[in-house]
Structure formats: structure tokens, C-alpha cells
Amino acid sequence: MGNFTYYIALLVIIIIGFWLIKKVASCLVKSIIAIVLVAVAVALYYFYLR
């Protein structure tokens, strides 16, 4: 059940990330959003699957 919840949360993060990237135009902002999404995904993995 924990893995399923992790994958659902990761999918939601990816969807929100793509939506935000479509909304913003700056390359720097896109890079920051991508880094934040990766950090959130790593944090979810570390805290819930470890």
C-alpha cells in the first residue's frame, strides 16, 4: 500500500509540474521548478519507502 501511495503522489507532482512549466516562460523558473519537483520526489521516497 505504501508503494502505491508513493506512485500516486509522484504522479500528482509530475502533473502539477508540467502544468506549472506550461504556465511560466522563463528558462530559469523552469529549472527551479524541475529541481524542486525532484527534491520533493526524493523526500517522499526517503520518508515513506525507507
Side-chain angles (χ1 to χ4, degrees):
M1 186 70 175
N3 287 347
F4 184 71
T5 305
Y6 170 74
Y7 290 122
I8 294 291
L10 190 60
L11 183 64
V12 169
I13 290 170
I14 291 170
I15 291 170
I16 291 173
F18 280 124
W19 179 77
L20 284 174
I21 288 172
K22 280 181 61 175
K23 290 290 183 186
V24 297
S26 172
C27 186
L28 178 63
V29 175
K30 289 180 185 180
S31 299
I32 291 171
I33 290 173
I35 291 169
V36 168
L37 290 176
V38 169
V40 169
V42 169
L44 281 173
Y45 176 78
Y46 181 77
F47 289 118
Y48 291 110
L49 295 179
R50 189 174 157 226

